[in-house]
Structure formats: structure tokens, C-alpha cells
Amino acid sequence: GAGVSQSPRYKVAKRGQDVALRCDPISGHVSLFWYQQALGQGPEFLTYFQNEAQLDKSGLPSDRFFAERPEGSVSTLKIQRTQQEDSAVYLCASSLEPKTTLHFGNGTRLTVT
Amino acid sequence: ILNVEQSPQSLHVQEGDSTNFTCSFPSSNFYALHWYRWETAKSPEALFVMTLNGDEKKKGRISATLNTKEGYSYLYIKGSQPEDSATYLCAFLFTGGGNKLTFGTGTQLKVEL
């Protein structure tokens, strides 16, 4: 079946622009995560959804970051007024149930110039 | 702040060599330890989910062990092949931490002919 799909694959934004990153998880997967991976680092947790409920947003680095999953399926990560330090790969992952194997998308590489 | 440490940071081996790397994590409040393989231009792929102290898991030429009392896991690759070249990530899940995985920075493996 289809895996986790993320779009766009690459995004270049000028500093100050808003961006929206999309994640289409595997159908039926309850849990959805967003991670940020900066160059040379491991993936850092941003936020977690169980169905449509955002249960943990402790990793969002500032109030410029916002995520939603309104119908418990597709999720969007929005970054307002992008800064250079937002340049990273943004990974989305889903799992059938909490605490089980994560299935990752290919990520969106965001470059802020 | 939880620290998940991986060593070495990078590794170059010859085809046919066997190799291993380490993941260290806090030994208290352990719930599960995940291993993922991330090939360039692809999405991270789950290798193992380990939950019990003393667990050993195997998938083809790759195996992993777990010691929750001392807080480490080893990943072994027997007879490395060029297609094993990837970044290997471990991730730790602890009780009381919700559902989020905390990742290490990864070990980058390059297998040369």
C-alpha cells in the first residue's frame, strides 16, 4: 500500500515568508509525528497527533510554528515569518498505534534564504 | 533533557567487513528502543523495535542486542555490502514521556568496494 507522502519535497523560502508543509500518513494510522532534522543532528521532535487531537506540541520551537490535523488524516505544518535557523529537513511519520514502529515520509527540505 | 548518544559518528568499512555501533540511553523509565536505517534520498526505514532486557533481534545480516539495565544497544552488520551504506538511527521511548521517540544523531556507515 501507499506509504507516508510529504510535499513539497523541496522548498526554498525567503526570510519572512510563510510556508506550509503537507503530510499524508498511511490510511488508518492513528498517530502522526513531525520531526525537524538540522544538518548533522538527529531528528528532533516537534509535535504529535493522535487522530485529530494534538496531544503534545512541546517540541515546537516558537509560536511561529503551527501544526494541524483537522480530520485525523492529512496534517499540515505551518511556519510563519521563516528565519534562516528554520532551514532543515522536516520529517513526518505515522504509526498504527501509539508507541509502535514509525513509518516515515521522505521529508521536506526547507531552505530559508 | 534526555540524551541518546550514538557512536561512532561515522564509519568507513570495506565490503565484507563486519561492523557494529552503539546506542546509549538513560537506563531509568525505559519503555522501548527503536533502530532505523536512513539511506540518502529515501525515508527512514524501521529495522527493530526492542522492549525487553536481553532482547536480540535479527533481520538478514543485521542484528541488534539490548541492555536496559546499563542503557545501551548494539547494532551489528555481518559481511557489510555497499547497499548497507546509510545512516543508522536509534530512538528511545521512556515511560512518562508520552509517545514521542527521542533520536540519537546517528552513525553514518559507508561501505566501500
Side-chain angles (χ1 to χ4, degrees):
Chain A
V4 177
S5 176
Q6 290 188 247
S7 61
R9 190 74 189 268
Y10 303 94
K11 177 71 180 176
V12 178
K14 290 191 176 169
R15 194 161 57 110
Q17 277 185 330
D18 297 349
V19 298
L21 312 181
R22 178 188 167 105
C23 173
D24 221 317
I26 293 173
S27 178
H29 277 200
V30 166
S31 298
L32 185 145
F33 298 81
W34 284 98
Y35 281 86
Q36 179 193 57
Q37 196 210 16
L39 198 61
Q41 304 295 316
E44 296 277 345
F45 171 81
L46 292 176
T47 187
Y48 164 67
F49 290 87
Q50 189 167 305
N51 296 307
E52 69 278 4
Q54 189 175 20
L55 297 186
D56 188 343
K57 53 182 181 178
S58 61
L60 296 176
S62 77
D63 59 8
R64 296 185 296 103
F65 286 70
F66 171 77
E68 59 182 5
R69 193 187 185 196
E71 295 175 3
S73 177
V74 171
S75 177
T76 304
L77 176 67
K78 296 178 181 176
I79 309 173
Q80 295 177 323
R81 304 180 305 281
T82 51
Q83 304 294 313
Q84 278 195 308
E85 62 262 27
D86 300 335
S87 296
V89 174
Y90 290 85
L91 288 166
C92 175
S94 68
S95 65
L96 186 58
E97 295 174 350
K99 300 188 193 296
T100 59
T101 301
L102 294 186
H103 299 263
F104 283 90
N106 283 326
T108 293
R109 182 178 294 278
L110 173 66
T111 303
V112 182
T113 61
Chain B
I1 296 176
L2 283 179
N3 269 334
V4 178
E5 296 181 358
Q6 292 188 246
S7 63
Q9 191 171 9
S10 65
L11 196 54
H12 286 237
V13 301
Q14 297 294 312
E15 184 181 11
D17 287 351
S18 292
T19 186
N20 66 85
F21 12 99
T22 307
C23 173
S24 301
F25 51 86
S27 56
S28 56
N29 302 319
F30 176 86
Y31 185 90
L33 193 282
H34 292 215
W35 281 101
Y36 291 86
R37 173 171 59 200
W38 194 358
E39 294 178 65
T40 303
K42 294 187 178 179
S43 55
E45 172 198 1
L47 289 173
F48 306 113
V49 176
M50 309 177 80
T51 55
L52 298 175
N53 184 44
D55 227 358
E56 289 190 29
K57 297 225 172 178
K58 189 173 180 185
K59 186 176 182 177
R61 294 179 290 99
I62 304 177
S63 59
T65 61
L66 179 67
N67 183 324
T68 61
K69 294 191 187 307
E70 295 180 43
Y72 65 84
S73 175
Y74 293 138
L75 190 80
Y76 300 92
I77 302 178
K78 187 176 174 182
S80 303
Q81 300 296 310
E83 59 264 30
D84 297 328
S85 297
T87 296
Y88 291 82
L89 292 163
C90 71
F92 171 69
L93 191 58
F94 66 100
T95 57
N99 297 316
K100 67 184 179 199
L101 284 170
T102 300
F103 281 85
T105 53
T107 292
Q108 192 171 13
L109 174 67
K110 174 86 173 162
V111 182
E112 293 162 345
L113 294 169

